[in-house]
Amino acid sequence: MFVINCKNYEEISGDKIIKFVKTAEKISKKYKIKIAIAPPQHLIGLVAKSTIPIFAQHIDDSKIGSTTGFVIPELLKMSKVKGSLINHSEHRISSKEIEKLISKLKELKMTSVLCVKDIAEVKKYVKLNPDYIAIEPPELIGSGKAVSKEKPGLISKAAEAVKNAKNNTELLCGAGIVSGEDVSKAIELGSKGILVASGIVKSKNWDSIMSEFAKSMV
Ligand code: G3P
C-alpha cells in the first residue's frame, strides 16, 4: 500500500488533481498495488468516486450540522471518501482527539492512518488499533533524504513495536522518500508501505515515478 499525501501543492491544484488520480488508478491496476490518495481538502469531492481509495488529509472531532468549516467524517463517508490521515506532522491534534477520531473512523468502517513522529508515539498509539501507523521524522519531511536511508533503525524499531502489539495495525513510514530504492529499503526494514508527498507530487512525470514506486513494492 502506498498513500500519497498531496498536501496543498500547486502541482495538483484545480483540475490537475483529476489527471493525478487517473494516473494513480492506472498504476494501481497495472501493478496490482493499493494506492490511496489524500487530495487537498477542497478537491476531495472531485475525485472521491475514483476506483482507488481517496482519503482526507485531516478530520475534525466535530458533529454533523452547525459546525462551519470543520471536516466531518460522517459527511466524508457520504461522499465515498474511504478514510483519513490523522495527526499529520503539519496538522497535529491532541491525544484525546486522536482517540476519538480513530474510534469514529472504526464505527464508520473507514480507514485510519495515524501519523506519529517517534517510537514513543508508536508504542502509545498502537494500542488504539488504527488501521495504519505512519512514522515520519519531521526533520526529514520534504527533504529528499529518505527515512529508510537516514534512520533505518527507526523503521525496524517501529515495525517491532507494531508487531508486539499483536493487533491489526500495519506500519507505514514516510519522509523524504523519492525513489524506488528508498521504497524497497523501507519494505525490507519491516514497513508494509509508505506515506509520500513531494517525491511523487512534485515529479515532472507522475506515471514514471508512480511506476518506479509500485515496482519496488511487488
Ligand atoms: O505525508 C507525507 C509527508 O509528510 C512526507 O512528505 O514530501 O517528504 O514525501 P515528503
Side-chain angles (χ1 to χ4, degrees), residues 1 119 122 126 131-135 147-149 151-164 168-174 177 181-195 216-217:
M1 151 95 151
I119 300 292
V122 174
V126 73
D131 295 297
Y132 296 94
I133 280 197
I135 188 159
V147 58
S148 46
K149 287 187 179 155
K151 296 201 160 185
L154 187 79
I155 303 178
S156 43
K157 279 189 199 136
E160 203 185 316
V162 168
K163 196 174 159 204
N164 288 343
N168 299 322
T169 303
E170 293 198 330
L171 181 72
L172 304 179
C173 68
I177 294 181
E181 198 188 321
D182 299 340
V183 176
S184 41
K185 185 96 181 55
I187 305 298
E188 265 170 48
L189 291 162
S191 192
K192 296 287 180 210
I194 53 147
L195 175 58
S216 309
M217 269 177 137

Side-chain angles (χ1 to χ4, degrees), residues 50-209:
S50 308
T51 56
I52 56 173
I54 299 297
F55 292 169
Q57 294 181 5
H58 166 85
I59 44 176
D60 293 298
D61 173 31
S62 209
K63 60 180 188 339
I64 299 173
S66 48
T67 46
T68 305
F70 288 90
V71 182
I72 311 298
E74 288 86 345
L75 266 74
L76 288 173
K77 168 120 183 161
M78 289 171 205
S79 291
K80 311 284 179 227
V81 174
K82 299 294 188 297
S84 184
L85 305 183
I86 296 174
N87 194 46
H88 189 275
S89 234
E90 293 153 7
H91 204 147
R92 301 262 292 176
I93 56 175
S94 69
S95 44
K96 202 171 155 197
E97 287 170 303
I98 290 175
E99 191 170 348
K100 283 173 118 178
L101 288 170
I102 290 175
S103 117
K104 192 174 275 190
L105 290 188
K106 266 190 207 313
E107 273 166 39
L108 292 167
K109 298 193 173 20
M110 293 171 78
T111 304
S112 48
V113 181
L114 177 67
C115 303
V116 298
K117 63 177 167 43
D118 55 28
I119 300 292
E121 287 191 348
V122 174
K123 289 184 179 160
K124 176 174 175 189
Y125 291 121
V126 73
K127 295 178 192 141
L128 301 175
N129 196 16
D131 295 297
Y132 296 94
I133 280 197
I135 188 159
E136 297 196 305
E139 69 281 9
L140 294 177
I141 291 180
S143 68
K145 290 189 214 153
V147 58
S148 46
K149 287 187 179 155
E150 299 289 312
K151 296 201 160 185
L154 187 79
I155 303 178
S156 43
K157 279 189 199 136
E160 203 185 316
V162 168
K163 196 174 159 204
N164 288 343
K166 294 194 172 48
N167 60 16
N168 299 322
T169 303
E170 293 198 330
L171 181 72
L172 304 179
C173 68
I177 294 181
V178 290
S179 70
E181 198 188 321
D182 299 340
V183 176
S184 41
K185 185 96 181 55
I187 305 298
E188 265 170 48
L189 291 162
S191 192
K192 296 287 180 210
I194 53 147
L195 175 58
V196 57
S198 54
I200 289 188
V201 178
K202 291 175 97 56
S203 161
K204 296 247 173 330
N205 188 334
W206 293 331
D207 193 306
S208 119
I209 191 72

Side-chain angles (χ1 to χ4, degrees), residues 17-50:
I17 191 69
I18 298 173
K19 186 178 169 208
F20 187 80
V21 171
K22 280 197 185 313
T23 307
E25 282 177 324
K26 190 182 100 183
I27 302 299
S28 167
K29 203 167 157 194
K30 183 168 172 192
Y31 294 99
K32 298 188 176 46
I33 286 285
K34 192 167 170 191
I35 304 179
I37 294 188
Q41 302 285 71
H42 68 291
L43 296 177
I44 287 185
L46 271 183
V47 289
K49 290 181 187 142
S50 308

